[in-house]
Coordinates of all heavy atoms in Angstrom, one line a residue:
G112 N 10.8 -21.0 -11.0 CA 10.8 -20.3 -9.7 C 9.4 -19.9 -9.3 O 9.2 -19.0 -8.5
I113 N 8.4 -20.5 -9.8 CA 7.0 -20.2 -9.4 C 6.5 -21.1 -8.3 O 6.6 -22.3 -8.4 CB 6.1 -20.3 -10.7 CG1 6.5 -19.3 -11.8 CG2 4.6 -20.0 -10.3 CD1 5.8 -19.5 -13.1
A114 N 5.9 -20.5 -7.2 CA 5.4 -21.2 -6.1 C 4.3 -22.2 -6.6 O 3.5 -21.8 -7.4 CB 4.9 -20.3 -5.0
F115 N 4.3 -23.4 -6.0 CA 3.4 -24.4 -6.5 C 1.9 -24.0 -6.4 O 1.1 -24.2 -7.3 CB 3.6 -25.8 -5.8 CG 2.7 -26.9 -6.3 CD1 3.1 -27.6 -7.4 CD2 1.5 -27.1 -5.8 CE1 2.3 -28.6 -7.9 CE2 0.7 -28.1 -6.3 CZ 1.1 -28.9 -7.3
G116 N 1.5 -23.4 -5.3 CA 0.2 -23.0 -5.1 C -0.3 -22.0 -6.2 O -1.4 -22.1 -6.8
K117 N 0.6 -21.0 -6.5 CA 0.4 -20.1 -7.5 C 0.3 -20.8 -8.9 O -0.6 -20.5 -9.7 CB 1.5 -19.0 -7.5 CG 1.4 -18.0 -8.7 CD 0.3 -17.0 -8.4 CE 0.3 -15.9 -9.4 NZ -0.8 -15.0 -9.3
R118 N 1.2 -21.7 -9.1 CA 1.2 -22.5 -10.4 C -0.1 -23.2 -10.6 O -0.7 -23.2 -11.7 CB 2.4 -23.5 -10.2 CG 2.4 -24.6 -11.2 CD 3.3 -24.3 -12.4 NE 2.5 -23.5 -13.4 CZ 3.0 -22.7 -14.4 NH1 4.3 -22.7 -14.5 NH2 2.3 -22.1 -15.2
F119 N -0.6 -23.8 -9.6 CA -1.8 -24.6 -9.7 C -3.0 -23.7 -10.0 O -3.8 -24.0 -10.9 CB -2.0 -25.4 -8.4 CG -3.2 -26.3 -8.4 CD1 -3.2 -27.5 -9.1 CD2 -4.4 -25.9 -7.8 CE1 -4.3 -28.4 -9.1 CE2 -5.5 -26.7 -7.9 CZ -5.5 -28.0 -8.5
L120 N -3.2 -22.7 -9.2 CA -4.3 -21.8 -9.4 C -4.3 -21.2 -10.9 O -5.3 -21.1 -11.5 CB -4.3 -20.6 -8.4 CG -4.5 -21.0 -7.0 CD1 -4.4 -19.8 -6.1 CD2 -5.8 -21.7 -6.7
M121 N -3.1 -20.8 -11.4 CA -3.0 -20.3 -12.7 C -3.4 -21.3 -13.8 O -4.1 -21.0 -14.7 CB -1.6 -19.7 -13.0 CG -1.2 -18.5 -12.2 SD 0.3 -17.7 -12.8 CE 1.5 -19.1 -12.6
D122 N -2.9 -22.5 -13.6 CA -3.1 -23.5 -14.6 C -4.6 -23.9 -14.7 O -5.0 -24.3 -15.8 CB -2.3 -24.8 -14.3 CG -0.8 -24.6 -14.6 OD1 -0.4 -23.5 -15.1 OD2 0.0 -25.5 -14.4
F123 N -5.3 -23.9 -13.6 CA -6.7 -24.3 -13.6 C -7.6 -23.1 -13.7 O -8.9 -23.2 -13.7 CB -7.0 -25.1 -12.4 CG -6.5 -26.6 -12.6 CD1 -5.2 -26.9 -12.2 CD2 -7.3 -27.6 -13.0 CE1 -4.7 -28.1 -12.4 CE2 -6.8 -28.9 -13.2 CZ -5.5 -29.1 -12.8
G124 N -7.1 -21.9 -13.8 CA -7.9 -20.7 -13.9 C -8.7 -20.4 -12.7 O -9.8 -19.8 -12.7
L125 N -8.2 -20.9 -11.5 CA -9.0 -20.7 -10.2 C -8.7 -19.3 -9.6 O -7.6 -18.9 -9.6 CB -8.6 -21.8 -9.2 CG -8.9 -23.2 -9.7 CD1 -8.3 -24.2 -8.7 CD2 -10.4 -23.5 -9.9
I126 N -9.8 -18.7 -9.2 CA -9.7 -17.3 -8.7 C -9.9 -17.4 -7.2 O -10.9 -17.8 -6.7 CB -10.8 -16.4 -9.3 CG1 -10.7 -16.4 -10.8 CG2 -10.7 -15.0 -8.8 CD1 -11.9 -15.7 -11.5
P127 N -8.9 -16.9 -6.4 CA -9.0 -16.8 -5.0 C -10.2 -16.1 -4.5 O -10.6 -15.1 -5.1 CB -7.7 -16.1 -4.5 CG -6.7 -16.4 -5.6 CD -7.5 -16.4 -6.9
L128 N -10.9 -16.6 -3.5 CA -12.1 -16.0 -2.9 C -13.3 -16.1 -3.8 O -14.4 -15.6 -3.5 CB -11.9 -14.5 -2.5 CG -10.8 -14.3 -1.5 CD1 -10.7 -12.8 -1.2 CD2 -11.0 -15.1 -0.3
S129 N -13.2 -16.9 -4.9 CA -14.4 -17.2 -5.7 C -15.1 -18.4 -5.2 O -14.5 -19.2 -4.5 CB -14.0 -17.4 -7.2 OG -13.2 -18.5 -7.4
I130 N -16.3 -18.6 -5.6 CA -17.0 -19.9 -5.3 C -16.8 -20.9 -6.4 O -17.2 -20.7 -7.5 CB -18.6 -19.6 -5.1 CG1 -18.8 -18.5 -4.1 CG2 -19.3 -20.9 -4.8 CD1 -20.2 -18.1 -4.0
I131 N -16.0 -21.9 -6.1 CA -15.7 -22.9 -7.1 C -16.6 -24.1 -7.0 O -17.1 -24.5 -5.9 CB -14.2 -23.4 -7.0 CG1 -14.0 -24.0 -5.6 CG2 -13.3 -22.2 -7.2 CD1 -12.6 -24.7 -5.5
R132 N -16.9 -24.7 -8.1 CA -17.7 -26.0 -8.2 C -16.8 -27.1 -8.6 O -15.9 -26.9 -9.4 CB -18.8 -25.8 -9.2 CG -19.8 -24.7 -8.8 CD -20.8 -24.4 -10.0 NE -21.6 -25.6 -10.4 CZ -21.5 -26.2 -11.6 NH1 -20.6 -25.7 -12.5 NH2 -22.2 -27.3 -11.8
Y133 N -17.0 -28.3 -8.0 CA -16.1 -29.4 -8.3 C -16.8 -30.7 -8.0 O -17.9 -30.8 -7.3 CB -14.9 -29.3 -7.4 CG -15.2 -29.1 -5.9 CD1 -15.4 -30.1 -5.0 CD2 -15.2 -27.8 -5.4 CE1 -15.7 -29.9 -3.7 CE2 -15.5 -27.5 -4.1 CZ -15.8 -28.6 -3.2 OH -16.1 -28.4 -1.9
E134 N -16.3 -31.8 -8.5 CA -16.7 -33.2 -8.1 C -15.6 -33.8 -7.3 O -14.4 -33.6 -7.6 CB -16.9 -34.0 -9.4 CG -18.1 -33.6 -10.2 CD -18.2 -34.4 -11.5 OE1 -17.3 -35.2 -11.8 OE2 -19.3 -34.3 -12.2
R135 N -16.0 -34.5 -6.2 CA -15.0 -35.1 -5.4 C -15.4 -36.5 -4.9 O -16.6 -36.8 -4.8 CB -14.6 -34.2 -4.2 CG -15.8 -34.0 -3.2 CD -15.3 -33.1 -2.1 NE -16.3 -32.7 -1.1 CZ -16.6 -33.4 0.0 NH1 -15.9 -34.5 0.3 NH2 -17.5 -33.1 0.9
E136 N -14.4 -37.2 -4.5 CA -14.6 -38.5 -3.8 C -13.8 -38.4 -2.5 O -12.6 -38.3 -2.5 CB -14.1 -39.7 -4.6 CG -14.9 -40.0 -5.8 CD -14.4 -41.3 -6.5 OE1 -13.3 -41.8 -6.1 OE2 -15.0 -41.7 -7.5
G137 N -14.5 -38.4 -1.4 CA -13.9 -38.1 -0.1 C -13.3 -36.7 -0.1 O -13.9 -35.8 -0.4
K138 N -12.0 -36.7 0.1 CA -11.3 -35.4 0.1 C -10.5 -35.1 -1.2 O -9.8 -34.1 -1.3 CB -10.3 -35.3 1.3 CG -11.0 -35.2 2.7 CD -10.0 -35.0 3.8 CE -10.7 -34.8 5.1 NZ -9.8 -34.5 6.2
M139 N -10.7 -36.0 -2.1 CA -10.0 -35.8 -3.4 C -10.9 -35.2 -4.5 O -12.0 -35.7 -4.8 CB -9.5 -37.2 -3.9 CG -8.4 -37.8 -3.1 SD -6.9 -36.8 -3.1 CE -6.4 -36.9 -4.8
I140 N -10.5 -34.1 -5.0 CA -11.2 -33.4 -6.1 C -10.9 -34.2 -7.4 O -9.7 -34.4 -7.7 CB -10.8 -32.0 -6.3 CG1 -11.3 -31.2 -5.0 CG2 -11.4 -31.4 -7.5 CD1 -10.9 -29.7 -5.1
K141 N -11.9 -34.6 -8.2 CA -11.7 -35.3 -9.4 C -11.8 -34.4 -10.6 O -11.2 -34.6 -11.6 CB -12.7 -36.4 -9.5 CG -12.6 -37.5 -8.4 CD -11.2 -38.1 -8.5 CE -11.1 -39.3 -7.5 NZ -9.7 -39.9 -7.6
K142 N -12.6 -33.3 -10.5 CA -12.9 -32.4 -11.6 C -13.4 -31.1 -11.1 O -14.2 -31.0 -10.2 CB -13.9 -33.0 -12.6 CG -14.1 -32.3 -13.9 CD -15.1 -33.0 -14.7 CE -15.3 -32.3 -16.0 NZ -16.3 -33.0 -16.9
F143 N -12.9 -30.0 -11.8 CA -13.3 -28.7 -11.5 C -14.4 -28.3 -12.5 O -14.3 -28.6 -13.7 CB -12.2 -27.6 -11.6 CG -11.2 -27.7 -10.5 CD1 -10.0 -28.4 -10.7 CD2 -11.5 -27.3 -9.2 CE1 -9.1 -28.5 -9.6 CE2 -10.6 -27.4 -8.2 CZ -9.4 -28.0 -8.4
L144 N -15.5 -27.7 -12.0 CA -16.7 -27.5 -12.8 C -17.0 -26.0 -13.1 O -18.1 -25.6 -13.6 CB -17.9 -28.1 -12.2 CG -17.8 -29.6 -11.9 CD1 -19.0 -30.1 -11.1 CD2 -17.7 -30.4 -13.2
G145 N -16.0 -25.1 -12.7 CA -16.2 -23.7 -13.0 C -16.4 -22.9 -11.7 O -16.3 -23.4 -10.6
S146 N -16.8 -21.6 -11.9 CA -16.9 -20.7 -10.8 C -18.3 -20.0 -10.8 O -18.9 -19.8 -11.8 CB -15.8 -19.6 -10.9 OG -16.0 -18.6 -10.0
L147 N -18.7 -19.7 -9.6 CA -20.0 -19.0 -9.4 C -19.8 -17.5 -9.0 O -20.7 -16.9 -8.4 CB -20.9 -19.7 -8.4 CG -21.3 -21.1 -8.9 CD1 -22.1 -21.8 -7.7 CD2 -22.2 -21.1 -10.1
G148 N -18.6 -17.0 -9.2 CA -18.4 -15.6 -8.8 C -17.8 -15.5 -7.4 O -17.4 -16.4 -6.8
Q149 N -17.7 -14.2 -6.9 CA -17.0 -14.0 -5.7 C -17.8 -14.5 -4.5 O -19.0 -14.5 -4.4 CB -16.8 -12.4 -5.5 CG -15.8 -11.9 -6.5 CD -15.6 -10.4 -6.3 OE1 -16.6 -9.7 -6.0 NE2 -14.4 -9.9 -6.4
G150 N -17.0 -14.9 -3.4 CA -17.6 -15.4 -2.2 C -16.9 -15.0 -1.0 O -17.2 -15.5 0.1
G151 N -16.0 -14.0 -1.1 CA -15.3 -13.5 0.1 C -16.1 -13.0 1.2 O -15.8 -13.1 2.4
E152 N -17.3 -12.4 0.9 CA -18.2 -11.9 1.9 C -18.8 -13.0 2.8 O -19.3 -12.7 3.8 CB -19.3 -11.0 1.3 CG -20.3 -11.8 0.5 CD -19.9 -12.1 -1.0 OE1 -18.7 -11.7 -1.3 OE2 -20.6 -12.8 -1.7
R153 N -18.7 -14.3 2.4 CA -19.2 -15.4 3.2 C -18.2 -15.8 4.3 O -18.6 -16.6 5.1 CB -19.4 -16.6 2.2 CG -20.4 -16.3 1.1 CD -20.8 -17.6 0.4 NE -21.7 -17.4 -0.7 CZ -22.4 -18.4 -1.3 NH1 -22.2 -19.6 -1.0 NH2 -23.3 -18.1 -2.3
L154 N -17.0 -15.3 4.2 CA -16.0 -15.7 5.2 C -16.2 -15.0 6.6 O -16.6 -13.8 6.6 CB -14.6 -15.5 4.7 CG -14.3 -16.2 3.4 CD1 -12.9 -15.9 2.9 CD2 -14.5 -17.7 3.5
N155 N -15.9 -15.6 7.6 CA -16.0 -15.1 9.0 C -14.8 -14.3 9.4 O -13.7 -14.8 9.3 CB -16.3 -16.2 10.0 CG -17.5 -17.0 9.8 OD1 -18.5 -16.4 9.3 ND2 -17.5 -18.3 10.0
L156 N -15.1 -13.1 9.8 CA -14.0 -12.2 10.3 C -13.8 -12.3 11.8 O -14.8 -12.4 12.5 CB -14.3 -10.7 9.9 CG -14.6 -10.5 8.4 CD1 -14.8 -9.0 8.2 CD2 -13.6 -11.0 7.5
F157 N -12.6 -12.1 12.3 CA -12.3 -12.2 13.7 C -11.2 -11.2 14.0 O -10.0 -11.5 13.7 CB -11.9 -13.6 14.1 CG -11.8 -13.8 15.6 CD1 -12.7 -14.4 16.3 CD2 -10.6 -13.4 16.3 CE1 -12.6 -14.6 17.7 CE2 -10.4 -13.6 17.6 CZ -11.4 -14.2 18.3
A158 N -11.6 -10.0 14.5 CA -10.6 -9.0 14.9 C -10.2 -9.1 16.3 O -11.0 -9.5 17.1 CB -11.1 -7.6 14.6
F159 N -8.9 -8.9 16.7 CA -8.5 -9.0 18.1 C -7.4 -8.0 18.4 O -6.8 -7.4 17.5 CB -8.0 -10.5 18.3 CG -6.6 -10.7 17.9 CD1 -5.6 -10.8 18.8 CD2 -6.2 -10.8 16.6 CE1 -4.2 -10.9 18.5 CE2 -4.9 -11.0 16.2 CZ -3.9 -11.1 17.1
D160 N -7.2 -7.9 19.7 CA -6.2 -7.0 20.2 C -5.8 -7.4 21.6 O -6.7 -8.0 22.3 CB -6.7 -5.5 20.2 CG -5.6 -4.6 20.6 OD1 -4.7 -4.3 19.8 OD2 -5.6 -4.1 21.8
I161 N -4.6 -7.2 22.1 CA -4.2 -7.5 23.4 C -3.8 -6.3 24.2 O -3.3 -5.3 23.6 CB -3.1 -8.6 23.4 CG1 -1.7 -8.0 22.9 CG2 -3.5 -9.8 22.5 CD1 -0.6 -8.9 23.1
E162 N -3.9 -6.4 25.5 CA -3.3 -5.4 26.4 C -2.3 -6.1 27.3 O -2.5 -7.3 27.7 CB -4.4 -4.8 27.3 CG -5.6 -4.2 26.5 CD -5.2 -3.1 25.5 OE1 -4.1 -2.4 25.7 OE2 -5.9 -2.9 24.5

Side-chain angles (χ1 to χ4, degrees):
I113 299 173
F115 183 87
K117 177 74 174 175
R118 165 92 279 162
F119 182 79
L120 294 179
M121 291 192 302
D122 286 356
F123 285 84
L125 299 175
I126 303 172
L128 301 182
S129 66
I130 302 171
I131 60 171
R132 296 170 59 245
Y133 51 86
E134 291 180 350
R135 68 179 175 91
E136 286 183 358
K138 291 188 176 182
M139 292 296 299
I140 293 177
K141 297 299 182 180
K142 186 178 181 181
F143 290 103
L144 302 174
S146 171
L147 295 175
Q149 291 181 322
E152 67 278 359
R153 300 187 179 194
L154 301 180
N155 296 326
L156 308 184
F157 187 102
F159 83 103
D160 186 73
I161 71 171
E162 306 303 332

